[in-house]
């Protein structure tokens, strides 16, 4: 087993965010980097991700992170300098539709803001939308946006690819080791404590927490306010009357009560879920929850309203996954005021995968004291106490 007793940087958590941070740290010349993962690489909440990649956001800062990330995803193996690395990218486009009502203006403005950033976006009429997604109806749509440079990918594959490429650059990734506390001295973080009897305390000049729903542990370890709830979400795979192929775009239905999102699953089925609030968990845990028939019927009705004939769809499979939700459904990124030596990245609120390459880089830059590609001030922890929320214009939900 590889060990590293005196690293320069410790990363807690090897989900897609922690692995991206580790790789960027190595690429930026961080020195000795140690990743500590309680379970296995990519096996936390990332393992349940729907994997949708888009740059569409009503929060402009997110657009920039997503755009930078998309560029990375598009040339993933090249960036990682590993010909076998793959994010499992399926570039099928992203189609977002709103009926007449309060979502039209934010959608129009978000599309214009994307275009202003040089992102390819098209406005489609109902016929053109139906050509791209023939299994759906769009006769009620007041505005339809289409983003060709979008699609979906595989978060577990992405995390493991980042981890392998990081290892090749000398990063040590240890699985099965839990961080149990921070070493605090003189008002700053000096390292971590672990449940590994052999190493126990590990000193490091910098610690990066990428703990997702478990970031609340920081509150007990360092007295930090961590405004986070763990929310369980249900995902269905439906076998409908016609295949939902990989050539068809991801869809976002702003008119449905649950702001449904969906995509092709296995080139035939539809992966579908609601983009609104889920079930609050008292303690963070990724154990599978029940997917009751009432919920299946509730989502099924919304699917049938958009996809004619899908009231006959069969439930092929279902699963649950957990979001780390902040009060404004956007992440906390960067340093913690009054506590040197710690950088955090949590609160991805169900949309962190598509941001992971760029977030990994800005967290690594912050950890190294370098200027960050995008300003982290809007994502600061202090925004909640200061009333400077980063709220999206579509209301609460992962579309943000
Ligand atoms: C159902 C579902 C659908 C989603 N769909 C999308 C989507 O379509 N598009 C999108 O962009 N995003 C989506 N997301 C969100 C996205 O998947 C997450 O934001 C992202 O995967 C989170 O990565 P992470 O590394 O922060 O977390 P995780 O993958 O949960 O990794 C955190 C890791 O930290 C480890 N850890 C925690 N505490 C400790 C400790 N004390 N010691 C050691 N290890 C520790 C955990 O074991 C875990 O492996 C979805 C999420 C879910 C659940």
């Amino acid at each position: 087993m590889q060990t590293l007793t005196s690293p320069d940087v410790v990363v807690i958590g090897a989900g897609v965010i922690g692995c991206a941070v580790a790789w960027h740290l190595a690429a930026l010349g961080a020195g000795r980097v140690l990743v500590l993962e309680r379970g296995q690489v990519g096996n936390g909440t990332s393992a349940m991700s729907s994997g949708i990649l888009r740059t569409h956001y009503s929060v402009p800062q997110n657009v920039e992170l997503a755009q930078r990330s998309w560029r990375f995803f598009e040339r993933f193996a090249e960036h990682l300098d590993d010909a076998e690395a793959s994010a499992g990218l399926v570039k099928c486009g992203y189609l977002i539709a709103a009926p007449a009502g309060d979502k039209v203006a934010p959608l129009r403005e978000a599309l214009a803001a994307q275009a202003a950033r040089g992102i390819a976006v098209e406005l489609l009429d109902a016929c053109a939308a139906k050509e791209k997604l023939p299994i759906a109806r769009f006769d009620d749509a007041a505005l339809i946006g289409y983003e060709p440079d979008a699609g979906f990918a595989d978060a577990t594959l992405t995390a493991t690819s980042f981890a392998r490429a990081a290892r090749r650059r000398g990063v040590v990734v240890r699985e099965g080791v839990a961080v149990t506390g921070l070493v605090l001295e003189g008002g700053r973080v000096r390292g971590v404590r672990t449940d590994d009897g052999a190493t126990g305390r590990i000193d490091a000049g910098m610690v990066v927490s990428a703990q997702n729903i478990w970031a609340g542990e920081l509150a007990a370890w360092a007295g930090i306010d961590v405004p986070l709830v763990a929310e369980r979400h249900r995902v269905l795979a439906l076998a409908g009357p016609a295949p939902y192929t990989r050539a068809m775009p991801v869809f976002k239905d702003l008119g449905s009560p649950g702001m449904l999102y969906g995509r092709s699953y296995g080139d035939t089925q539809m992966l579908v879920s609601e983009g609104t609030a889920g079930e609050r968990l008292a303690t963070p845990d990724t154990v599978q929850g029940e997917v009751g028939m009432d919920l299946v019927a509730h989502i099924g009705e919304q699917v049938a309203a958009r996809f004619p004939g899908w009231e006959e769809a069969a439930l092929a499979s279902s699963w649950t996954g957990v979001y780390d939700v902040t009060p404004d459904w956007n992440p906390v990124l960067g340093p913690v005021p009054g506590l040197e030596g710690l950088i955090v990245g949590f609160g991805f609120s169900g949309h962190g995968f598509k941001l992971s390459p760029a977030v990994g880089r800005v967290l690594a830059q912050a950890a190294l004291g370098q200027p960050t590609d995008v300003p982290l001030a809007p994502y600061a922890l202090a925004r909640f106490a200061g009333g400077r929320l980063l709220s999206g214009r579509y209301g609460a939900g992962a579309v943000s």
Side-chain angles (χ1 to χ4, degrees):
M1 183 182 59
Q2 257 193 313
T3 57
L4 191 56
T5 46
S6 53
D8 297 296
V9 187
V10 168
V11 179
I12 312 173
V16 73
I17 299 293
C19 292
V21 170
W23 182 83
H24 281 295
L25 280 168
L28 292 169
R32 291 159 303 176
V33 178
L34 172 65
V35 181
L36 296 174
E37 166 56 52
R38 176 161 40 205
Q40 291 169 298
V41 171
N43 205 28
T45 69
S46 296
M48 297 300 162
S49 185
S50 301
I52 292 167
L53 307 179
R54 52 164 163 101
T55 63
H56 188 95
Y57 275 104
S58 64
V59 172
Q61 290 86 352
N62 290 345
V63 179
E64 182 165 5
L65 284 175
Q67 186 180 19
R68 288 174 177 273
S69 293
W70 174 261
R71 290 187 190 128
F72 199 101
F73 277 118
E74 266 199 313
R75 297 164 68 182
F76 192 67
E78 194 181 318
H79 281 296
L80 293 190
D81 194 19
D82 176 357
E84 292 186 0
S86 172
L89 176 64
V90 177
K91 186 175 166 180
C92 57
Y94 178 81
L95 195 153
I96 179 166
D102 62 353
K103 303 285 194 304
V104 172
L107 176 56
R108 194 181 301 283
E109 285 162 29
L111 292 167
Q114 282 177 285
R117 287 199 57 81
I119 296 169
V121 283
E122 298 166 26
L123 294 180
L124 303 182
D125 61 20
C127 285
K130 202 161 168 54
E131 269 175 33
K132 296 202 183 299
L133 190 57
I135 55 177
R137 56 174 272 264
F138 296 98
D139 48 322
D140 62 334
L143 189 63
I144 307 169
Y146 177 66
E147 190 182 325
D149 291 338
F152 59 91
D154 184 320
T156 308
L157 202 49
T158 303
T160 53
S161 290
F162 266 126
R164 184 172 73 171
R167 280 179 164 129
R168 287 178 176 182
R169 285 179 176 256
V171 171
V172 174
V173 183
R174 288 192 62 198
E175 297 175 297
V177 179
V179 172
T180 54
L182 297 173
V183 177
L184 295 169
E185 279 172 13
R188 65 162 291 146
V189 176
R190 301 277 180 193
V192 296
R193 299 184 195 285
T194 77
D195 67 352
D196 176 14
T199 42
R201 168 179 169 156
I202 298 173
D203 292 336
M206 178 58 65
V207 174
V208 180
S209 162
Q211 294 175 255
N212 200 271
I213 55 172
W214 298 276
E217 291 175 353
L218 293 168
W221 297 345
I224 298 165
D225 184 26
V226 180
L228 199 62
V229 292
E231 259 192 21
R232 182 183 280 150
H233 286 251
R234 271 91 181 153
V235 184
L236 311 182
L238 303 177
Y244 192 145
T245 71
R246 280 202 192 101
M248 297 178 187
V250 173
F251 81 90
K252 179 75 183 177
D253 186 356
L254 292 172
S256 59
M259 289 205 286
L260 287 194
Y261 70 81
R263 66 163 174 87
S264 173
Y265 186 62
D267 206 27
T268 54
Q269 297 172 2
M270 175 193 296
L271 179 158
V272 63
S273 185
E274 292 188 304
T276 46
E279 174 199 359
R280 281 185 171 216
L281 301 181
T283 49
D285 194 345
T286 50
V287 71
Q288 284 297 294
E290 203 185 322
V291 182
M293 286 319 290
D294 51 344
L295 188 274
V296 174
H298 172 69
I299 294 181
E301 277 168 26
Q302 297 175 67
V303 170
R306 177 64 50 213
F307 295 85
W310 282 66
E311 54 279 359
E312 304 298 333
L315 179 64
S317 56
S318 63
W319 58 91
T320 62
V322 185
Y323 293 3
D324 51 340
V325 179
T326 64
D328 61 9
W329 285 74
N330 274 303
V332 173
L333 305 175
V336 175
L339 193 58
E340 294 287 302
L342 179 68
I343 296 293
V344 298
F346 66 79
F348 293 96
S349 307
H351 58 96
F353 174 49
K354 67 180 65 60
L355 307 178
S356 56
V359 162
R361 185 167 149 93
V362 294
L363 293 181
Q365 289 169 326
L368 298 175
Q370 298 177 2
T372 53
D373 289 342
V374 303
L376 295 187
Y379 295 101
L381 184 58
R383 74 182 186 271
F384 301 107
R388 298 183 303 277
L389 296 192
L390 203 54
S391 302
R393 295 198 49 210
Y394 298 115
V399 65
S400 201

